[in-house]
Amino acid sequence: MKLTTSLMLALLTAVTVSPAMADDYPDRPIKVIVPHGAGGSTDITTRLLVEPLSERLGQGLAVANVTGGGTAIGAQEAARSRADGYTLLSTHEALLTSSAMGVNTMGPDSVTPIAQVGLERQIIAVRQDSPMQNLQDFYAAAAAGGVKPKLGVSPGAANHFAFMRILQPVADPEVTFVPTGGGGPSMKALLSGTIDVGTFVVSEARDQIEAGNIRALATFGPQRHADLPDVETSGEQGYPMDIGIHYVWYAPKGTPADRIDIVADAIEAIVGDEQFQQRMLDRSIEPDFERGEALSQDLDARWQTMQSVAEELRP
């Protein structure tokens, strides 16, 4: 059978156009897995980004809160998803802590970082009636012969790792770790007197500090936090530390680099917008964008730190 010239051209056009159309990413909605509870800091940060990101990508983004296993269940679901850019992961240091503790058996290498969106600084706080007034008082209470304070943590999770790092200046600290859970449950435990000290990101504690119910002993960043200008940094008190949580978006390992770049480009433009930055700052989140090799190097350094801390936590 002879093909007419017009039919041959039509077939060639179909062959050449179809792959391009298939690579017209994204051409359908994207699922964003958040392995943390709804209403928490990671969920809030993710949802802040979803609307403008949807507008830039031209497709809807559906947030799915997949909790459990110290964030390992959601992170592993994302890692096992098809590496086509239509399932993404939004989390923080929990990916590293759960992996370092062996709860996330797939580890951080099972996903590829897309971009860091921002960060929150860690603080430690006590009830307003506590005799502890500053970081030195806390260290004295935690030292041998001290009062052995009760510290609220989610065992093996980010706040547990934060306390372990904060306690490093104390030789053989004598403390009791109480399994309270994440920021919200730990705050309830602190207010009720179940624990003596809690570690939180600023957004989790700001309202209670402003209400006069709790007192921050220190912030753990290079300068005072804009929302807590009267609270000294650990460095000002003689113990320079930089401890916080970094909000990072990931894709399953093997996701095409061009698709990762499309999402990273869109996130970079959004986080660079002053109005969006103010929306983050209003929630005590510091805009802090990173991508590519710089982000990979920073994540590698954090991973090494978490592995070191995990060695101390293991029996």
Side-chain angles (χ1 to χ4, degrees):
M1 181 178 69
K2 293 184 178 180
L3 296 176
T4 65
T5 302
S6 59
L7 180 57
M8 290 177 67
L9 287 173
L11 289 172
L12 285 170
T13 301
V15 169
T16 56
V17 170
S18 293
M21 291 178 64
D23 290 335
D24 189 19
Y25 171 84
D27 60 6
R28 54 188 168 86
I30 296 170
K31 179 180 180 180
V32 183
I33 293 177
V34 177
H36 309 259
S41 60
T42 309
D43 182 65
I44 290 171
T45 305
T46 303
R47 292 177 190 275
L48 275 177
L49 192 64
V50 159
E51 182 178 349
L53 186 56
S54 175
E55 292 175 357
R56 284 193 170 269
L57 295 178
Q59 291 292 335
L61 278 79
V63 175
N65 297 96
V66 182
T67 61
T71 72
I73 292 176
Q76 290 177 155
E77 179 178 322
R80 292 190 182 102
S81 297
R82 187 173 178 180
D84 56 6
Y86 289 97
T87 301
L88 306 178
L89 172 69
S90 175
T91 185
H92 56 57
E93 264 69 5
L95 174 68
L96 306 180
T97 59
S98 63
S99 298
M101 293 301 294
V103 181
N104 180 353
T105 56
M106 298 182 72
D109 288 341
S110 63
V111 289
T112 299
I114 299 172
Q116 178 173 290
V117 176
L119 62 89
E120 287 200 73
R121 299 296 178 187
Q122 209 81 25
I123 69 166
I124 58 170
V126 296
R127 288 184 309 282
Q128 194 62 43
D129 61 358
S130 170
M132 288 182 250
Q133 300 292 324
N134 51 42
L135 192 55
Q136 188 59 54
D137 288 346
F138 170 67
Y139 286 151
V147 298
K148 199 172 183 178
K150 297 188 290 292
L151 316 181
V153 298
S154 179
N159 60 2
H160 196 176
F161 276 65
F163 258 133
M164 292 296 293
R165 295 177 66 191
I166 292 166
L167 284 166
Q168 284 178 345
V170 182
D172 300 320
E174 295 184 356
V175 299
T176 301
F177 287 113
V178 179
T180 52
S186 290
M187 180 60 72
K188 290 180 180 178
L190 180 61
L191 293 171
S192 69
T194 303
I195 60 174
D196 302 309
V197 189
T199 182
F200 311 94
V201 291
V202 174
S203 64
E204 294 171 332
R206 186 179 65 180
D207 289 347
Q208 294 295 340
I209 293 171
E210 291 176 351
N213 296 324
I214 66 172
R215 177 171 56 253
L217 303 183
T219 60
F220 294 88
Q223 60 268 329
R224 295 193 186 192
H225 197 283
D227 292 338
L228 302 174
D230 296 329
V231 180
E232 291 185 338
T233 67
S234 62
E236 288 179 291
Q237 300 181 58
Y239 305 94
M241 300 182 202
D242 192 347
I243 303 174
I245 58 174
H246 301 73
Y247 299 111
V248 181
W249 284 49
Y250 298 86
K253 187 175 182 179
T255 299
D258 59 341
R259 298 191 175 189
I260 287 176
D261 285 342
I262 287 170
V263 178
D265 287 344
I267 293 176
E268 184 170 12
I270 293 165
V271 178
D273 179 76
E274 289 185 4
Q275 290 186 336
F276 183 80
Q277 290 179 3
Q278 190 58 53
R279 292 179 67 192
M280 296 180 77
L281 291 169
D282 288 343
R283 291 162 177 80
S284 301
I285 306 162
E286 298 179 35
D288 190 48
F289 180 84
E290 276 194 336
R291 65 186 292 183
E293 186 60 28
L295 176 57
S296 294
Q297 289 180 2
D298 281 349
L299 287 170
D300 285 344
R302 292 174 208 157
W303 175 228
Q304 295 299 322
T305 297
M306 298 309 174
Q307 287 181 301
S308 176
V309 174
E311 288 296 323
E312 299 179 47
L313 287 173
R314 292 192 185 100

